[in-house]
Amino acid sequence: NAGVTQTPKFQVLKTGQSMTLQCAQDMNHNSMYWYRQDPGMGLRLIYYSASEGTTDKGEVPNGYNVSRLNKREFSLRLESAAPSQTSVYFCASSISGSHETQYFGPGTRLLVL
Amino acid sequence: DAKTTQPTSMDCAEGRAANLPCNHSTISGNEYVYWYRQIHSQGPQYIIHGLKNNETNEMASLIITEDRKSSTLILPHATLRDTAVYYCIVRAPRILASKLTFGTGTRLQVTL
């Protein structure tokens, strides 16, 4: 059981470039989430997917898009990266929305120059 | 979700029990107490949760006071690998998925 996996681990982008962060879970969880964590700050929810086929905005969705490809995979896309999107991105999953024991991936460190 | 208050930092000697307190005086009857931790540069890790009764798992024990206004996370034999920021989160079950709100947490430093 790998749990929640994320790729890539680290990425450097130039302003205006695009990229997709990948997340997959093998725990048969229904709900998946994308958070960002800026240095010295707490986690902020970007987007989440309560179940396969649904996605909803979190606190800070601007500049991002998501795709719930299937039950296992939830990707986060930056269409035109900005320096303000420099952050560590964490993907998480939970069995359902009700009990919110979320399991997190190792994170993707993104630097936008 | 009820607000929580935790000390900013704590130290613990390796091999000793680490007792991390959390105040949640406005907790409602259906709200659970969750504990997560975040080791440097890693994703947050779920530790334990409880409603009223004390709980224990392979990682830790959770002691909730009878009035449920505070709780203590106990790491029975702290190791250097337990050095992390520990977050106490109080929230009610949701029908739909929603965010976890991590406060500032307690930075636990385990020393030799």
Side-chain angles (χ1 to χ4, degrees):
Chain A
N1 238 4
V4 179
T5 57
Q6 293 183 236
T7 55
K9 286 186 170 58
F10 182 72
Q11 183 73 45
V12 179
L13 291 178
K14 294 181 180 177
T15 297
Q17 287 185 315
S18 62
M19 79 162 295
T20 299
L21 283 66
Q22 306 286 355
C23 174
Q25 52 88 13
D26 62 1
M27 297 175 282
N28 202 34
H29 285 172
N30 292 310
S31 302
M32 297 185 73
Y33 313 79
W34 276 106
Y35 292 87
R36 61 176 286 177
Q37 185 174 35
D38 300 328
M41 305 279 287
L43 280 79
R44 291 183 292 171
L45 184 66
I46 305 171
Y47 269 95
Y48 67 96
S49 170
S51 60
E52 187 178 355
T54 69
T55 60
D56 286 285
K57 295 179 180 179
E59 300 171 84
V60 288
N62 291 344
Y64 305 95
N65 285 303
V66 290
S67 295
R68 183 74 183 267
L69 305 170
N70 47 55
K71 192 171 186 179
R72 290 186 64 248
E73 298 171 290
F74 189 37
S75 63
L76 178 72
R77 183 160 179 83
L78 286 71
E79 291 292 351
S80 178
S84 60
Q85 294 178 305
T86 293
S87 190
V88 181
Y89 291 85
F90 291 105
C91 177
S93 70
S94 63
I95 293 174
S96 68
S98 63
H99 244 292
E100 293 306 343
T101 299
Q102 295 185 14
Y103 296 87
F104 286 78
T108 293
R109 281 149 188 78
L110 176 65
L111 174 62
V112 182
L113 301 173
Chain B
D1 298 333
K3 184 179 176 181
T4 61
T5 304
Q6 299 177 252
T8 304
S9 63
M10 295 181 64
D11 292 330
C12 179
E14 190 176 34
R16 304 296 294 269
N19 297 294
L20 292 93
C22 179
N23 285 324
H24 31 80
S25 58
T26 60
I27 192 169
S28 300
N30 67 338
E31 289 183 315
Y32 285 71
V33 179
Y34 291 81
W35 283 84
Y36 285 76
R37 72 180 181 183
Q38 188 171 23
I39 296 169
H40 182 61
S41 299
Q42 297 183 22
Q45 178 187 23
Y46 164 78
I47 301 172
I48 198 168
H49 75 279
L51 181 63
K52 294 181 186 177
N53 300 320
N54 299 338
E55 301 287 345
T56 296
N57 63 21
E58 65 278 3
M59 288 183 68
S61 295
L62 174 60
I63 308 298
I64 303 173
T65 57
E66 193 168 343
D67 63 7
R68 301 209 323 123
K69 293 186 176 185
S70 65
S71 60
T72 302
L73 178 74
I74 301 172
L75 308 178
H77 305 287
T79 71
L80 296 176
R81 287 176 294 181
D82 292 320
T83 293
V85 179
Y86 287 77
Y87 298 97
C88 170
I89 299 170
V90 171
R91 70 198 318 270
R94 298 320 202 246
I95 295 174
L96 298 176
S98 64
K99 67 176 181 178
L100 280 175
T101 300
F102 291 81
T104 53
T106 296
R107 186 171 296 277
L108 176 68
Q109 180 69 51
V110 181
T111 57
L112 291 171

